[in-house]
Amino acid sequence: MGSSKSSLRHIPNAQELIQDTGFSAAHIQRLYERFDLLDRDQMGRLRVPDFEAISHLAMNPIGDRIIAAFFSPGKDTVDFPSFVRILAHFQPTDDNRTRDSSGKEPYNSPNRKLQFAFQLYDQDGDGKISRAELLQVLQEMLGMQVTDELLQSIAERAIQEADLDQDDAISFDEFKKCLEKVDIDQKMRIGFLS
Amino acid sequence: MRRCGHGHCWLLGTLAFFYLVLLSGVEADAKSDHHSENGHHQNASSISGIPIVTFKWHHVETPYTVALWIIVAGLCKLVIEANHHVTNVIPESALLICSGFILGGMVWGADKKQTFKLNPTVFFYYLLPQIILDAGYSMPNKLFFTNLGGILLHAVIGTCWNAATVGLSLWGCHMGGAMGDLDIGLLQYLLFGSLLSAVDPVAVIAVFEQVHVNEVLFIMVFGESLLNDGVTVVLFNVFDSFVSLGGPAINAAEIVKGIISFFVVAFGGSLVGLVFGLLLSLLTRCTKNIQIIEPGFVFVVGYLSYLTAEMLSLSAILSITFCGVCCQKYMNANMDEKSVTTVRYAMKVLANGSETMIFVFLGITAIDKTIWVWNTGFILLTLLFVLVYRVIGVFFLTWIQNKFRLVPLDLMDRIIMSYGGLRGAVAYGLAALLDENKIKEKPLMIGTTLIIVYFTVVLQGITMKPLVTWLKVKRATNNELTLIEKVQNKVFNHMLVAIEDISGQKGNNYMRDKWTHFEEKWMSWFLMKPSARKKHDHLFNIFHMINLKDALEYVDKGESNGTLEFIRNDTAFIDFKKNYEDDFSDVSMPDLTIDMGDDTIANPYASVLRKIRDAVPSISLEMHKQTNYGLRESENINTHHLLQQHLYKSRNQHRFRYSRSHFDLNQDENEVQEIFQRTMRNRLESFKSAKLGVAPPKPITKHPRKDTQKKMPNGKSTEKRSYYSGDEDFEFSEGDSASGYFPRVTHRPGTGIENPSFMPDLDPRAPVQIPPWLAEGELDSTAGVAPSQRAQAGLPRTPSNLNRLAPLRISTRSTDFPTSSSSQQSNELPPPPSPPPYHPHKI
């Protein structure tokens, strides 16, 4: 612990991050190493190509979406604190930490996790998954034998299933309702090594 | 109708039972009489010259009896399975045991003694191997190896714990005087404990198959039961030799030897299995010319691995398990499709048959006065200890396990795991193996073992399902998921993998990736035939299967329509199609509307449908019947099914189902290639557009998607593979990919009809043919943008296929109109293959 504490010094805002995200110092340390590795031009920030350089990601059908989720709107770089904050969504939900330091819900609460998942669909950020957005995800995720019209009808049907207020789109609340049977915490959880 | 059916079944059942009574009566008579009869016959033949017919029962006695029993057991199963409302409540295994009681009663009544028993030799050499082989062969490998740590923990430590604690506690109670006067020492108790310690795979599968718990829970219990059989046998042998040595002769050295032999036997057995599995894979690599007998190799080599391990006094059960586990992938790839099917079926037939036999004979064995030595204290205490220590063991081990698991096993899982500790035939087989000279109380032990088996299989089996429901244990996910959930689950999986990649976490997937890499590079190269390696892509297999099925259905319908002309005659075919379509569209509409209503989808299209239906007044009754049939048949194959099949799987996703009597394909994921190319194409597009200052393509018009899709089958996958580790400097030459545009899977011979529409992949350079039914019927709103191309690029679809997708397609039509993007897209399509049998736009 002592050694990791000392090496935390060169990480910007380390203490604040630990407070904020619930990662341990060792986690932060390890993530920083990873960040450093990805950051090939050593600018202290990651650009899209840095992410794209991760070879396995190219084999992930929604890899590009995940990458995009790391960038807040309008920015084309991500710094270490934001990087960690995104990853913090994937920690197991901690029942004891219902509020983080600034009084918001912690990143690893089921709600925040769901929001993260939701914004993967909601590319234009209007708070709704439109049919086109859903269709796009489906297109990315489905194999090659499914024709477009079939996809469209699947999207159509999925929206109908979820759409409670008949506005032909899935709002976050509707999304949440759809997935209430799913254990979000378990589905969005990664064993972060420390 | 239903009730009537059941009544019928009962009648049949009763009849079958009468038949059984008759059979066993005859058999018993024959058996008791045959000696005198023999003598009589021989006398007769020596006296009166050449007999025309003789009754030679003694010649055929053994095989005849065996065959009779097999058929009797089969009939029992038939009767039991005919009564679905009973099997829903009471598991089949319990019912089989009960029918065994009845049969045993009959035999007892006829013979006044129990002539038929489950004898350890028969059990271990003829009944058990195929069950274990089947379990190994259809083992969901990924799930198994992912959870191997936990499984081994339970199988080894848990089993030892059970054996030791049950043995010691019984001994303690004996010392305390709870069981009266018994001649059993500490070692004998430990031996008894060890034979009772195994959770039985046969019983576990039989019960859990009907309960459908979640897959992790299932594999934990199932894997444990499979492996701990091996462990139990080893433990049993060790204690058995201790007993033979006798108490005083045991010193530290012997104990150490015992422990060493435990590990040698277990690992040696697994190793033997592994070697045989590899041999088998190699063997199937070169059986191309003797396809007709290649399925046989699986069984023979599997059995050989069992016998070899037995011969070397290693664990035979572990050996045959690992033989199955290890060969399944390569064998399935190497052998012909038909052989694989044969193996699967034959395996299930054998395993299911043996299982039935085992349970029936477990029941029969009970009806025997000689094995029942009642000692209330001993029996009840054993039962209590077996249950209690199972619970304690499971809770303790899962507690350890949960320290390492990402998703811990929760309380419910633990309860079910402890409750799923069913003992079965292995325990009985071992008990029957006990040496009477060394263990005076053998009958008591056998009796107790049987009681525990009955208790666990019957009582726990019956209560398992209500318990699972009551505790709300996470069930295996089934079709009740909504579409969005299904999609979302996939998104979650992909998301986790992506995040793991990004954050550089190697925990869960790292080792597996390494193994996969090694496996692909070396094992597959060594064990798979080159052709099998190439057609590894299972998407094409699915595609092929769908087409095959469609073709079959199509022929079926054609035949029932009274003509097979369309097969030989192209124009007749088209005419048929056309007619069929006309008829089809109007008839099916009402059904579809109802279907959609059932799905409780608020659908604004119903009115449209009705309009369409009203527009076409003629309804062919005959067609109506067929359509109904088709609809009913394909009710289950709806969108969910489609999604299930075609959604990409993420790396840590594994689909599996193990079942003794059904099998699903173990679907590997080979979509990486496709996704990879798609992603690369996307990036290239956005890169290009950024460079040229062109606005990025609209999100909805996914031009690249179609292209990359079509590029999949170009046979260049092996070259591309080298880029996997390469980063974003990946060069993506367009000309390259265009020139490599060849269908990888071409028409396979033997798919039946020589009909272009059913070819899995069609020559894309074939001239565009506009089939007559398109040319004349193209009145769609999207006309002029060549919507037919889009349709043609799709799956060749038969009307029956349309049936199951119909609700979707109907709604598609209406969404088609507003979104012009989709029609734009069709411009980007590669040259369409030759005409599909059905064109959805023509309704």
Side-chain angles (χ1 to χ4, degrees):
Chain A
M1 202 64 178
S3 64
S4 60
K5 266 260 158 58
S6 61
S7 53
L8 277 180
R9 246 178 288 132
H10 61 270
I11 302 173
N13 307 332
Q15 286 310 320
E16 193 190 318
L17 273 176
I18 293 172
Q19 281 280 307
D20 220 25
T21 57
F23 278 120
S24 71
H27 282 141
I28 297 280
Q29 170 68 25
R30 203 186 146 85
L31 289 176
Y32 189 74
E33 281 164 18
R34 177 66 184 171
F35 183 81
D36 213 36
L37 190 77
L38 293 179
D39 181 18
R40 287 176 306 170
D41 47 7
Q42 302 298 325
M43 299 288 281
R45 58 199 165 69
L46 299 181
R47 290 168 303 113
V48 176
D50 292 328
F51 282 104
E52 287 179 351
I54 303 167
S55 57
H56 285 302
L57 223 47
M59 282 172 242
N60 197 318
I62 57 167
D64 288 350
R65 256 165 216 276
I66 304 277
I67 294 174
F70 275 83
F71 297 89
S72 42
K75 286 196 183 165
D76 55 357
T77 59
V78 55
D79 58 359
F80 181 64
S82 329
F83 180 74
V84 173
R85 287 198 173 96
I86 297 292
L87 293 182
H89 286 107
F90 292 91
Q91 275 192 301
T93 300
D94 185 355
D95 295 329
N96 302 325
R97 279 177 80 249
T98 46
R99 295 270 168 258
D100 71 358
S101 51
S102 53
K104 283 187 298 184
E105 265 187 284
Y107 292 102
N108 50 5
S109 74
N111 208 29
R112 289 291 287 273
K113 287 182 181 215
L114 257 187
Q115 267 168 10
F116 184 83
F118 184 77
Q119 46 130 5
L120 285 183
Y121 291 95
D122 184 20
Q123 296 282 293
D124 59 1
D126 64 350
K128 278 182 176 152
I129 303 175
S130 67
R131 189 189 301 153
E133 281 165 344
L134 185 62
L135 182 62
Q136 214 183 330
V137 176
L138 280 174
Q139 279 175 338
E140 285 167 19
M141 302 243 312
L142 276 166
M144 50 188 272
Q145 302 131 4
V146 185
T147 57
D148 265 5
E149 49 194 45
L150 204 50
L151 275 181
Q152 283 183 10
S153 54
I154 290 173
E156 176 78 16
R157 224 173 127 157
I159 294 224
Q160 278 181 356
E161 269 177 6
D163 188 17
L164 301 174
D165 56 5
Q166 309 293 327
D167 63 348
D168 211 20
I170 303 175
S171 67
F172 181 63
D173 287 337
E174 285 161 354
F175 185 69
K176 204 162 143 186
K177 189 134 185 69
C178 276
L179 297 179
E180 63 188 355
K181 275 188 284 175
V182 182
D183 189 343
I184 303 299
D185 179 33
Q186 279 192 7
K187 290 279 182 187
M188 284 181 68
R189 178 189 287 194
I190 281 182
F192 284 101
L193 300 178
S194 51
Chain B
M1 190 62 200
R2 267 274 154 83
R3 290 207 68 86
C4 185
H6 280 311
H8 204 75
C9 292
W10 267 114
L11 205 78
L12 214 122
T14 344
L15 270 179
F17 261 108
F18 274 123
Y19 185 52
L20 290 191
V21 177
L22 215 78
L23 268 186
S24 39
V26 165
E27 199 178 289
D29 286 345
K31 221 178 144 49
S32 52
D33 290 349
H34 82 259
H35 277 297
S36 54
E37 230 171 308
N38 283 343
H40 187 71
H41 268 294
Q42 272 158 13
N43 284 345
S45 58
S46 59
I47 290 169
S48 57
I50 298 168
I52 295 174
V53 279
T54 50
F55 185 70
K56 294 197 272 188
W57 164 249
H58 65 287
H59 278 293
V60 293
E61 182 182 353
T62 314
Y64 203 87
T65 326
V66 169
L68 273 184
W69 273 116
I70 290 175
I71 208 165
V72 165
L75 286 175
C76 287
K77 194 175 169 92
L78 187 144
V79 172
I80 288 164
E81 281 301 315
N83 300 292
H84 258 296
H85 49 282
V86 180
T87 47
N88 277 342
V89 184
I90 306 170
E92 193 192 284
S93 44
L95 288 172
L96 282 172
I97 288 184
C98 294
S99 60
F101 290 153
I102 299 172
L103 288 174
M106 291 175 188
V107 176
W108 180 266
D111 278 9
K112 300 293 174 238
K113 66 180 173 78
Q114 194 51 270
T115 27
F116 301 101
K117 264 191 220 182
L118 190 53
N119 122 13
T121 319
V122 172
F123 174 70
F124 281 110
Y125 287 101
Y126 304 112
L127 292 176
L128 191 60
Q130 58 266 43
I131 294 184
I132 308 287
L133 181 64
D134 171 60
Y137 178 73
S138 26
M139 175 73 77
N141 272 351
K142 262 185 196 154
L143 200 61
F144 178 69
F145 284 111
T146 316
N147 294 296
L148 188 63
I151 293 171
L152 279 178
L153 192 70
H154 283 276
V156 178
I157 313 274
T159 309
C160 294
W161 156 265
N162 278 343
T165 48
V166 171
L168 287 175
S169 306
L170 281 175
W171 182 67
C173 291
H174 183 178
M175 291 286 114
M179 315 174 188
D181 188 26
L182 286 177
D183 183 15
I184 305 177
L186 173 60
L187 282 174
Q188 277 94 331
Y189 272 120
L190 285 175
L191 182 61
F192 182 59
S194 73
L195 74 87
L196 273 182
S197 61
V199 176
D200 186 64
V202 186
V204 163
I205 296 163
V207 169
F208 273 70
E209 184 178 299
Q210 298 179 337
V211 182
H212 302 299
V213 292
N214 63 69
E215 48 185 42
V216 174
L217 184 52
F218 180 83
I219 198 71
M220 288 299 301
V221 180
F222 174 52
E224 182 204 342
S225 66
L226 203 57
L227 295 192
N228 77 5
D229 271 355
V231 175
T232 309
V233 175
V234 176
L235 263 186
F236 178 83
N237 287 337
V238 170
F239 280 117
D240 195 38
S241 48
F242 279 164
V243 170
S244 321
L245 266 178
I250 297 171
N251 51 25
E254 296 299 328
I255 292 176
V256 169
K257 269 204 264 176
I259 295 173
I260 291 176
S261 97
F262 176 86
F263 285 104
V264 169
V265 169
F267 284 103
S270 315
L271 197 70
V272 169
L274 220 64
V275 169
F276 272 90
L278 295 184
L279 274 180
L280 183 55
S281 311
L282 268 182
L283 191 63
T284 51
R285 215 188 132 156
C286 19
T287 47
K288 197 171 154 236
N289 298 326
I290 45 166
Q291 262 175 20
I292 199 72
I293 60 163
E294 69 184 356
F297 285 125
V298 180
F299 300 97
V300 175
V301 175
Y303 196 49
L304 269 181
S305 87
Y306 188 87
L307 293 179
T308 311
E310 187 70 41
M311 179 178 77
L312 300 172
S313 76
L314 301 172
S315 168
I317 297 179
L318 288 177
S319 167
I320 201 168
T321 307
F322 280 99
C323 179
V325 165
C326 161
C327 72
Q328 72 184 52
K329 179 179 174 183
Y330 308 109
M331 222 178 62
N332 287 350
N334 281 341
M335 289 197 311
D336 185 66
E337 207 178 318
K338 282 178 200 143
S339 307
V340 174
T341 314
T342 313
V343 169
R344 284 170 195 275
Y345 272 97
M347 199 83 97
K348 292 290 173 196
V349 170
L350 287 178
N352 225 319
S354 317
E355 188 189 288
T356 312
M357 296 286 292
I358 287 173
F359 281 123
V360 169
F361 271 89
L362 269 181
I364 293 176
T365 311
I367 314 295
D368 185 2
K369 248 198 301 197
T370 56
I371 62 161
W372 291 112
V373 178
W374 195 265
N375 181 327
T376 317
F378 185 80
I379 291 171
L380 286 185
L381 280 172
T382 312
L383 191 57
L384 178 78
F385 288 140
V386 164
L387 296 179
V388 167
Y389 287 120
R390 167 81 187 170
V391 174
I392 295 175
V394 166
F395 271 71
F396 177 65
L397 290 175
T398 42
W399 176 73
I400 296 178
Q401 219 183 333
N402 276 349
K403 295 200 173 302
F404 302 100
R405 278 186 73 93
L406 185 56
V407 180
L409 295 163
D410 59 18
L411 185 65
M412 300 306 148
D413 290 344
R414 294 191 209 182
I415 292 175
I416 296 300
M417 274 176 78
S418 1
Y419 203 67
L422 308 176
R423 304 324 201 255
V426 172
Y428 170 75
L430 289 176
L433 272 181
L434 290 173
D435 186 350
E436 271 161 80
N437 301 325
K438 282 181 274 178
I439 294 157
K440 301 285 184 302
E441 304 289 347
K442 182 184 173 189
L444 177 62
M445 287 187 177
I446 292 185
T448 312
T449 310
L450 278 177
I451 288 186
I452 286 169
V453 171
Y454 298 146
F455 182 87
T456 52
V457 172
V458 178
L459 280 182
Q460 295 193 7
I462 293 173
T463 44
M464 180 65 83
K465 212 171 186 178
L467 187 73
V468 168
T469 322
W470 182 61
L471 290 175
K472 301 194 180 64
V473 177
K474 271 173 290 172
R475 299 295 192 94
T477 45
N478 38 22
N479 278 356
E480 49 194 71
L481 285 176
T482 57
L483 277 177
I484 192 94
E485 268 179 294
K486 190 156 260 175
V487 174
Q488 187 55 46
N489 276 338
K490 276 292 186 317
V491 171
F492 278 140
N493 286 326
H494 288 304
M495 185 156 64
L496 286 193
V497 174
I499 293 292
E500 255 183 38
D501 287 337
I502 289 175
S503 62
Q505 306 294 331
K506 305 209 155 156
N508 246 3
N509 293 321
Y510 182 67
M511 284 309 284
R512 188 187 302 149
D513 268 9
K514 281 277 169 218
W515 165 250
T516 318
H517 191 71
F518 169 77
E519 207 262 317
E520 257 176 29
K521 199 169 175 194
W522 297 108
M523 307 272 283
S524 297
W525 170 79
F526 186 54
L527 298 172
M528 257 188 225
K529 7 181 222 201
S531 58
R533 284 203 295 277
K534 261 181 204 142
K535 68 167 191 188
H536 208 48
D537 200 331
H538 94 119
L539 275 178
F540 289 106
N541 295 341
I542 291 182
F543 191 57
H544 173 67
M545 268 159 38
I546 290 174
N547 278 338
L548 204 64
K549 193 167 158 256
D550 286 348
L552 282 175
E553 276 176 24
Y554 176 63
V555 172
D556 269 357
K557 295 222 165 107
E559 276 175 342
S560 62
N561 225 22
T563 172
L564 270 178
E565 213 181 351
F566 61 91
I567 289 176
R568 274 165 256 121
N569 186 335
D570 260 358
T571 49
F573 158 67
I574 287 169
D575 279 337
F576 169 76
K577 291 302 303 174
K578 217 177 121 190
N579 294 339
Y580 190 90
E581 250 162 61
D582 279 339
D583 288 342
F584 176 76
S585 58
D586 54 22
V587 187
S588 62
M589 283 314 148
D591 296 313
L592 294 179
T593 325
I594 291 159
D595 191 38
M596 291 178 79
D598 282 349
D599 286 349
T600 60
I601 294 167
N603 83 77
Y605 311 110
S607 56
V608 181
L609 295 182
R610 222 158 284 135
K611 239 179 264 167
I612 300 171
R613 182 187 50 183
D614 291 344
V616 191
S618 69
I619 292 179
S620 145
L621 271 180
E622 208 182 38
M623 290 310 292
H624 193 69
K625 225 186 287 167
Q626 281 173 26
T627 314
N628 268 343
Y629 173 69
L631 265 182
R632 219 176 308 124
E633 192 184 44
S634 59
E635 244 166 359
N636 300 328
I637 314 163
N638 49 16
T639 328
H640 287 289
H641 177 79
L642 190 97
L643 279 180
Q644 185 107 37
Q645 286 222 317
H646 298 301
L647 275 171
Y648 291 127
K649 293 175 195 72
S650 62
R651 272 211 309 270
N652 60 0
Q653 242 259 312
H654 17 258
R655 265 176 51 84
F656 100 99
R657 227 170 85 80
Y658 176 82
S659 146
R660 168 87 359 108
S661 43
H662 312 280
F663 35 80
D664 294 1
L665 294 174
N666 239 354
Q667 299 177 339
D668 329 354
E669 45 230 57
N670 292 297
E671 305 116 336
V672 269
Q673 183 72 20
E674 190 182 327
I675 302 169
F676 181 73
Q677 295 195 358
R678 188 185 284 180
T679 310
M680 279 312 172
R681 175 53 79 98
N682 268 350
R683 285 181 189 169
L684 189 79
E685 288 279 332
S686 62
F687 175 71
K688 255 203 241 155
S689 58
K691 212 170 181 181
L692 299 172
V694 185
K698 269 187 220 158
I700 185 76
T701 39
K702 276 264 174 196
H703 303 245
R705 184 180 161 266
K706 274 292 172 186
D707 291 355
T708 35
Q709 272 182 22
K710 281 295 159 189
K711 245 179 1 242
M712 241 334 259
N714 64 5
K716 281 165 51 63
S717 56
T718 38
E719 290 171 46
K720 287 283 158 57
R721 193 148 288 178
S722 55
Y723 289 112
Y724 266 25
S725 50
D727 296 338
E728 100 285 16
D729 323 319
F730 177 73
E731 298 257 344
F732 206 91
S733 149
E734 282 210 68
D736 209 22
S737 55
S739 64
Y741 193 77
F742 291 107
R744 180 139 48 115
V745 174
T746 45
H747 175 58
R748 298 179 193 207
T751 48
I753 315 162
E754 274 296 310
N755 187 328
S757 347
F758 296 121
M759 292 188 184
D761 218 323
L762 297 150
D763 186 356
R765 285 157 304 174
V768 185
Q769 304 168 18
I770 307 277
W773 72 85
L774 287 190
E776 71 168 41
E778 212 40 81
L779 297 168
D780 211 275
S781 68
T782 46
V785 209
S788 57
Q789 283 193 348
R790 189 177 60 204
Q792 285 174 3
L795 270 167
R797 210 166 268 119
T798 62
S800 63
N801 198 348
L802 173 90
N803 259 347
R804 63 172 178 253
L805 302 174
L808 292 169
R809 314 194 124 258
I810 303 306
S811 55
T812 308
R813 276 182 57 75
S814 26
T815 57
D816 250 4
F817 301 114
T819 46
S820 56
S821 50
S822 57
S823 49
Q824 275 177 11
Q825 192 172 359
S826 51
N827 281 331
E828 299 290 324
L829 289 179
S834 45
Y838 177 69
H839 178 242
H841 280 272
K842 170 93 171 31
I843 291 184

